[in-house]
Amino acid sequence: MSSDESEDEYGHVVFELGSWSTRAGMAGEDAPSVIRPTYIPESVDNLERTELDYTKRFSPDKFEHLLNLCYSELPVKDPAGHGVIVIEPLSVSNASRELALQILMDTFQVPSYYAAASPQMSLYASGRGSGTVIQCGHAATETMSIYEGYLVPGSLMSYPDNSGRKVTSLVKEWLRKYITTETAYGYDVCVNAKEENVSLLQDEFHDFSLPDGKLVNVSPQMKSDLSSCIFGGDHGVAKMAYHAVMAADIDMRRDLFCNVILSGGASLVKGFRETFLKEIRKESNVRHTENLKINAVAAPERKYNSWIGGSIVGSLTCFQGAHISKELYEEVGPSIVHRYCFNYGNVKMGDFV
């Protein structure tokens, strides 16, 4: 059976390599069926995690172990019968890209491989061909502008100081006053509080309960600290989005401003969209572009936007010829991923103001 026949019959497996969690499932599904933490716990009681760092050359053994865990929960009898789509963060290193391809081809014997950028897949999940994506991930906030299917040069940015990890750390500090010697709140509790309970809206006041029943008061100071972390400073999320749009030619900007896509787990903080619009309009007024209409889309399923976009792409018949085949990999080697898939060599890591 040829690789193309195998993929037509059995379908692609879609992996999203996040720094907090790894999502996996079959192309064409509405949501990932497997969500596993992308970390190695130091100990049962340790709140911190040792993550697979895709910005460097990660451990092959740990990555292979993670893939085995994912495949064990998928409706896949043999990985060799399914091509894969791997969704990567913009900050992924060249060494990590090559290693991921090498392990999936050599160890799991997949017949085909394709690597895609996380913000790019988030745009496709929204059903748009043009837009600016703000990918608010655990390790970094990333931006990408695409116009009519083409990348806007200079719009790629990745910055860690307004990431989900930073926001979760703030929440963890707030919760310390509620911890006694008999109780300890794990990192997952802090993440859930960030995504489901804390609000950026100053006129919205409420308390929420921790698993042991303690009530936490969401004070104005908590809201202010959270807003400063996400939107403050020279590399705030709204400023990143503004510069990602302004990197485009002037005749493209109107469409990009009208189609800003908010994506990733950190964008689930209540009031994120409202605060984002307020901040980017403020930035627009300062830069004298206040006449442009600005709209931000925050879909309910935005935590998994990237994976959903990969699922859509993997189910398209026109995608079948876009992947790296087993034959091409064996002929060229792991470096083929840089020539055949999107190249992240021009990602700005902060200094864009």
Side-chain angles (χ1 to χ4, degrees):
M1 181 184 292
S2 70
S3 62
D4 284 342
E5 288 173 340
S6 172
E7 289 163 48
D8 286 342
E9 182 176 352
Y10 297 108
H12 288 80
V13 175
V14 182
F15 290 102
E16 183 184 1
L17 307 181
S19 57
W20 172 254
S21 64
T22 297
R23 278 77 71 183
M26 306 306 297
E29 294 181 345
D30 294 334
S33 57
V34 177
I35 302 173
R36 297 201 62 90
T38 309
Y39 69 94
I40 309 299
E42 295 291 345
S43 68
V44 174
D45 299 320
N46 194 344
L47 298 184
E48 303 301 332
R49 307 176 178 218
T50 302
E51 301 162 357
L52 281 171
D53 188 352
Y54 297 115
T55 65
K56 304 173 183 176
R57 191 181 189 278
F58 55 77
S59 163
D61 292 340
K62 292 178 181 178
F63 185 65
E64 185 177 333
H65 177 63
L66 179 61
L67 291 177
N68 271 317
L69 292 173
C70 290
Y71 272 119
S72 70
E73 298 182 45
L74 290 169
V76 172
K77 293 182 179 179
D78 183 3
H82 305 263
V84 298
I85 299 174
V86 174
I87 303 169
E88 311 166 323
L90 291 179
S91 55
V92 65
S93 69
N94 286 343
S96 290
R97 299 188 86 199
E98 293 182 14
L99 191 54
L101 170 60
Q102 188 174 356
I103 290 173
L104 279 158
M105 283 286 187
D106 293 345
T107 303
F108 293 91
Q109 294 295 307
V110 300
S112 66
Y113 183 99
Y114 187 77
S118 181
Q120 179 187 21
M121 293 298 102
S122 289
L123 180 67
Y124 294 162
S126 74
R128 292 166 169 80
S130 299
T132 294
V133 179
I134 314 303
Q135 191 77 25
C136 304
H138 176 67
T141 296
E142 301 177 339
T143 65
M144 173 186 282
S145 291
I146 295 175
Y147 188 78
E148 295 183 353
Y150 291 92
L151 170 71
V152 173
S155 69
L156 302 181
M157 300 174 220
S158 180
Y159 194 67
D161 282 1
N162 49 22
S163 65
R165 180 193 286 127
K166 293 287 187 179
V167 177
T168 304
S169 295
L170 263 183
V171 174
K172 190 172 72 172
E173 286 300 315
W174 297 332
L175 296 184
R176 287 196 188 280
K177 65 182 338 184
Y178 299 92
I179 298 175
T180 67
T181 55
E182 291 83 24
T183 63
Y185 300 122
Y187 206 78
D188 286 335
V189 174
C190 300
V191 172
N192 290 337
K194 173 189 72 179
E195 295 180 357
E196 299 175 10
N197 302 116
V198 178
S199 173
L200 292 170
L201 302 177
Q202 289 295 338
D203 58 350
E204 183 177 287
F205 297 96
H206 66 280
D207 298 333
F208 65 91
S209 298
L210 293 170
D212 64 356
K214 282 191 174 65
L215 276 179
V216 177
N217 174 254
V218 183
S219 67
Q221 186 61 48
M222 289 172 66
K223 296 172 185 287
S224 178
D225 291 346
L226 191 62
S227 183
S228 295
C229 177
I230 300 172
F231 296 103
D234 290 338
H235 304 102
V237 169
K239 287 189 176 182
M240 290 180 70
Y242 181 85
H243 285 275
V245 172
M246 297 303 287
D249 292 340
I250 190 168
D251 56 342
M252 302 178 183
R253 295 172 186 169
R254 188 174 300 276
D255 284 343
L256 296 178
F257 270 124
C258 285
N259 294 282
V260 178
I261 310 300
L262 304 179
S263 185
S267 70
L268 293 176
V269 177
K270 292 181 179 180
F272 189 100
R273 178 180 180 274
E274 294 86 344
T275 307
F276 172 83
L277 286 172
K278 182 184 74 174
E279 293 296 327
I280 196 170
R281 285 167 181 157
K282 186 188 301 181
E283 185 73 12
S284 179
N285 290 338
V286 169
R287 308 277 181 169
H288 307 293
T289 53
E290 63 271 19
N291 292 327
L292 289 172
K293 179 183 177 183
I294 302 174
N295 183 50
V297 178
E301 66 278 4
R302 61 189 177 276
K303 185 174 183 177
Y304 304 121
N305 262 2
S306 296
W307 188 93
I308 294 169
S311 176
I312 293 170
V313 169
S315 63
L316 299 175
T317 55
C318 60
F319 170 73
Q320 303 302 319
H323 50 230
I324 300 170
S325 66
K326 185 78 169 177
E327 294 75 18
L328 187 59
Y329 166 74
E330 291 175 346
E331 178 184 343
V332 180
S335 63
I336 187 64
V337 71
H338 309 303
R339 289 163 45 188
Y340 225 72
C341 303
F342 187 81
N343 192 317
Y344 310 124
N346 296 317
V347 180
K348 295 181 182 179
M349 304 303 285
D351 298 328
F352 55 86
V353 176

